[in-house]
């Protein structure tokens, strides 16, 4: 029996070994097939990405070339139009040039000599502006006072205007009432007279 048991164990081990070899072989074959398919898919994906990148680069290059050509054409047309405008409006072009020069000059740092010069001129200008401002306020105040005085002399005070509006409203109401009464009397008079057609 011991021999049978050994033989049976050996057969079982051989069968299990064969089964394991078969499973490993099948798994290895499937893994190899899966790896080959994955490599193929990755290679196809990379090739498609390369094509897409080439197409995008070509499109970008083409767009940049078109944009550059359009920009050159637009720049040339703008330069010609600007030159024509400057010829036709030379005074305006000079004023714009001076303003642009002033902007550039204001962007540069101030020298000591400029600072000394602008301090004295700036102080004098500020004083003149303050004087003109106070004189303008005084003139405006005087004008308002004169207008108030003249309107008061003419009886155009807020109270007088309110009273005149009330008086006007009362008179208009009386006229409207009189007109309504006259219309009603006329309508009553026509209803009282015999109807010649109805006879």
């Amino acid at each position: 029996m011991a021999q049978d048991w050994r033989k049976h164990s050996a057969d079982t081990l051989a069968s299990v070994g064969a089964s394991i070899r078969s499973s490993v072989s099948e798994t290895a074959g499937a893994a190899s097939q899966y790896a080959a398919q994955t490599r193929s898919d990755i290679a196809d994906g990379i090739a498609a990405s390369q094509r897409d990148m080439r197409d995008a680069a070509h499109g970008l290059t083409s767009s940049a070339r078109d944009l550059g050509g359009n920009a050159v054409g637009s720049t040339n047309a703008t330069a010609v139009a600007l030159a024509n405008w400057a010829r036709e409006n030379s005074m305006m072009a000079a004023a714009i040039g001076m303003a642009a020069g002033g902007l550039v000059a204001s962007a540069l740092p101030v020298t000591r000599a400029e600072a000394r010069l602008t301090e004295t001129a700036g102080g004098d200008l500020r004083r003149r502006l303050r004087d003109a401002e106070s004189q303008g306020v005084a003139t405006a105040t005087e004008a308002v006072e004169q207008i108030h005085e003249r309107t008061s002399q003419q009886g155009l005070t807020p109270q007088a205007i309110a009273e005149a509006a009330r008086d006007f409203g009362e008179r208009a109401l009386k006229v409207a009432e009189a007109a309504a009464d006259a219309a009603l009397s006329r309508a009553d008079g026509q209803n009282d007279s015999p109807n010649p057609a109805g006879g």
Side-chain angles (χ1 to χ4, degrees):
M1 261 226 189
Q3 223 174 356
D4 284 339
W5 180 79
R6 280 190 205 151
K7 183 172 185 216
H8 179 62
S9 294
D11 288 343
T12 302
L13 284 176
S15 174
V16 168
S19 177
I20 289 173
R21 274 193 299 278
S22 173
S23 291
V24 167
S25 176
E26 286 176 13
T27 303
S32 175
Q33 197 174 26
Y34 178 76
Q37 182 62 41
T38 302
R39 256 193 319 266
S40 173
D41 290 346
I42 290 172
D44 289 347
I46 290 172
S49 294
Q50 288 174 337
R51 279 192 307 274
D52 291 345
M53 289 172 65
R54 250 192 327 271
D55 292 346
H58 177 71
L60 184 61
T61 304
S62 177
S63 294
R65 191 178 316 117
D66 292 345
L67 183 61
N70 291 342
V72 167
S74 294
T75 303
N76 289 340
T78 302
V80 168
L82 188 59
N84 289 338
W85 178 85
R87 269 193 294 277
E88 293 170 6
N89 302 297
S90 57
M91 293 299 286
M92 183 65 78
I96 290 172
M98 289 174 57
L103 285 173
V104 169
S106 70
L108 298 174
V110 178
T111 64
R112 286 185 198 146
E114 288 173 329
R116 281 192 304 266
L117 180 64
T118 55
E119 282 176 11
T120 57
D124 187 41
L125 180 61
R126 280 191 294 275
R127 184 183 50 74
R128 287 183 184 179
L129 286 173
R130 275 194 300 268
D131 292 346
E133 178 185 12
S134 61
Q135 186 178 7
V137 168
T139 303
T141 303
E142 185 180 320
V144 168
E145 288 172 356
Q146 286 178 0
I147 290 170
H148 182 269
E149 184 180 320
R150 288 183 183 163
T151 55
S152 295
Q153 288 172 354
Q154 296 293 322
L156 295 175
T157 63
Q159 295 84 10
I161 292 173
E163 188 177 311
R166 267 192 304 276
D167 184 46
F168 177 76
E170 289 172 5
R171 288 181 188 180
L173 182 61
K174 287 179 184 176
V175 168
E177 287 173 350
D181 287 344
L184 287 174
S185 321
R186 222 183 265 156
D188 287 341
Q190 287 179 352
N191 287 340
D192 294 341
S193 63
N195 189 351

